[in-house]
Amino acid sequence: MSISKRVYPDGKPRYLVRIDVGDPATGRRRRQTVGTFRTKKDAVRAEERAKTERDRGTLLAPDKTTVAELLNRWFEVKVPRTVKPENVAGYEIVIRKHLKPALGGVLVQKLTVEQVETFYAAMQAAGKSSSLIKKCHMRLASALRLGQRWKLVSQNVCDVAKPPRLSYKKPEVWSRRESAAFLEAAARDGMYPYWSLAVETGARTSELLGVSWEDVDFERGTVMFGHRVVRLLGGTPVVKHDAKTEAGRRTVRLTPGMLDELRSHNIAWKERRLKAADWQNPHALVFCTATGRPINPAHVRRSFERLVREAGVKRITPHGLRRTHITATVAAGGNLKAVAARVGHRDVTTTLKTYAQVVPQMDDELLEIVGRVVPRKAGTGA
């Protein structure tokens, strides 16, 4: 019998379960503790389950690795091999701010589906987005898969646990009046050419920060997007000489007014370079710090939020400028393929599905078309 009864100081019995297993190092038999249980019925079930796992070769040795420790190992071993450097910071935030505080102290072998789903429910109750909860689920599931390969756990509870279904909020975009109010407020900001180019092109923050003077062709009136400034885990912004996607490398035509702004900015940029004692700008970045270094995207976001408050317009994110540009150009009748190419989308499906929002102007135009093509009376044609 591998179940032994023990009476604890509180006077209540406990049932210790141990079974015979083979030692892979010596080939000899040894006893492995399965656990201690409050009732004999639970102990018998645990014994049967352990013997089945032993016979199948899936019985794990007791291990004290916690969820936090497994996440640390996964982050050190797996993430660097599978995640782009500029995306690593997002993984670290999910682990540090959400997974570890909630589940980090739990032993990996004791982690249950109920604990994981209770964690998801608590995040929902706290108002966290379904997208964030999904990221927590994916990171935890990936770490547990590593734990399975390393024989720390026999099953991945995330294969059973269900995160909430993704729900998408309608992204906010600005009207023409709001965009104008923002630019008016931004005119007093030292980064005004940046904000103006963002509104006119709908380019991503990383793309705008990666533009060099070599990418600006004043004669042809174009700017080329193909480099990015991204922030790594340590917070240091670096220049990456690639586009986010294949379609991201593109040349965009600019209005005469935008070209004039860039010419003026170029003059000021050269003056600033001559005055800076420690100028470091080997990439000739159009938008840079006072010493020529790449601008941290986080600083752009903070400046944007300040300008939004000063302009007194609806609060959106810097990426909302991109959505606003796409929505405005589509609403004005812009060719969908041309709009997709301008903003670096591979096809129009992404442009329409992800960004273009139905605005009152588009709805009014559609109603006018319906009024023209739909007959009022059968057989009258009118």
Side-chain angles (χ1 to χ4, degrees):
M1 186 74 172
S2 57
I3 300 177
S4 57
K5 180 179 179 181
R6 297 184 177 184
V7 179
Y8 280 62
D10 60 4
K12 296 181 180 180
R14 300 288 190 277
Y15 298 87
L16 175 66
V17 179
R18 292 183 295 179
I19 63 172
D20 290 330
V21 297
D23 189 329
T26 64
R28 297 179 180 178
R29 305 294 292 179
R30 63 180 178 83
R31 308 265 306 195
Q32 178 171 313
T33 299
V34 176
T36 303
F37 304 86
R38 292 180 177 274
T39 67
K40 187 173 183 179
K41 186 176 181 179
D42 289 339
V44 171
R45 288 176 178 171
E47 179 190 31
E48 293 175 349
R49 184 167 58 250
K51 287 181 177 179
T52 299
E53 292 177 351
R54 178 197 62 190
D55 296 341
R56 290 176 177 172
T58 59
L59 180 66
L60 302 177
D63 189 90
K64 298 298 183 181
T65 299
T66 64
V67 172
E69 291 168 341
L70 177 61
L71 287 169
N72 288 340
R73 293 299 310 281
W74 172 76
F75 189 78
E76 294 169 359
V77 175
K78 180 74 174 179
V79 171
R81 294 188 288 118
T82 58
V83 180
K84 291 182 178 180
E86 62 266 31
N87 295 333
V88 170
Y91 281 64
E92 189 274 336
I93 290 173
V94 167
I95 292 172
R96 174 172 50 83
K97 294 186 65 175
H98 304 290
L99 289 172
K100 282 186 178 179
L103 302 172
V106 180
L107 295 180
V108 171
Q109 292 187 348
K110 298 293 184 180
L111 184 64
T112 65
V113 174
E114 180 182 0
Q115 287 174 311
V116 173
E117 292 191 339
T118 298
F119 163 57
Y120 296 157
M123 290 191 73
Q124 274 189 302
K128 304 300 182 183
S129 70
S130 60
S131 176
L132 174 58
I133 300 174
K134 182 70 172 180
K135 288 178 182 177
C136 290
H137 178 78
M138 293 171 64
R139 310 302 178 247
L140 180 60
S142 182
L144 289 172
R145 280 194 291 273
L146 182 64
Q148 283 182 294
R149 291 199 297 275
W150 288 354
K151 304 298 183 183
L152 297 178
V153 292
S154 58
Q155 66 172 346
N156 187 337
V157 295
C158 285
D159 290 341
V160 181
K162 299 295 184 183
R165 182 176 300 177
L166 285 174
S167 59
Y168 297 95
K169 295 181 180 179
K170 180 180 177 180
E172 296 283 2
V173 297
W174 279 340
S175 65
R176 183 179 177 85
R177 181 194 61 80
E178 288 173 312
S179 294
F182 170 77
L183 288 176
E184 184 178 346
R188 301 184 292 272
D189 186 77
M191 284 276 287
Y192 176 71
Y194 171 91
W195 302 118
S196 185
L197 190 62
V199 171
E200 178 161 322
T201 64
R204 303 173 179 92
T205 298
S206 60
E207 295 173 332
L208 292 162
L209 293 178
V211 171
S212 71
W213 286 115
E214 292 181 354
D215 299 324
V216 181
D217 190 327
F218 287 109
E219 291 185 6
R220 295 188 177 186
T222 62
V223 61
M224 192 274 287
F225 295 110
H227 311 293
R228 297 178 295 146
V229 168
V230 298
R231 185 179 62 168
L232 301 183
L233 182 58
T236 303
V238 297
V239 179
K240 292 184 69 69
H241 298 286
D242 64 354
K244 183 178 180 182
T245 63
E246 184 178 344
R249 182 174 289 277
R250 62 200 187 278
T251 299
V252 175
R253 294 183 64 183
L254 301 177
T255 62
M258 185 70 248
L259 290 167
D260 288 341
E261 291 175 14
L262 287 175
R263 288 190 183 94
S264 298
H265 181 61
N266 182 254
I267 294 173
W269 184 91
K270 290 177 178 178
E271 292 176 350
R272 187 171 58 177
R273 180 185 61 183
L274 292 173
K275 293 179 181 179
D278 56 346
W279 184 263
Q280 297 183 32
N281 195 340
H283 308 289
L285 296 174
V286 174
F287 307 110
C288 56
T289 66
T291 56
R293 293 179 175 83
I295 294 175
N296 193 320
H299 296 166
V300 173
R301 186 182 186 94
R302 286 194 290 270
S303 296
F304 179 76
E305 292 173 348
R306 172 179 55 80
L307 292 172
V308 168
R309 290 193 299 270
E310 293 177 5
V313 294
K314 178 170 61 243
R315 183 180 179 185
I316 63 173
T317 65
H319 200 71
L321 291 177
R322 180 171 171 81
R323 294 192 181 96
T324 296
H325 175 84
I326 296 172
T327 300
T329 51
V330 171
N335 180 279
L336 288 177
K337 294 191 69 173
V339 173
R342 182 177 179 83
V343 298
H345 287 161
R346 185 175 61 182
D347 54 50
V348 299
T349 303
T350 303
T351 308
L352 289 174
K353 182 179 179 181
T354 311
Y355 294 98
Q357 307 298 310
V358 175
V359 295
Q361 178 185 343
M362 298 170 72
D363 206 28
D364 291 343
E365 291 175 353
L366 179 59
L367 182 61
E368 183 180 342
I369 293 172
V370 170
R372 291 199 306 267
V373 302
V374 177
R376 299 270 59 84
K377 295 181 181 178
T380 64

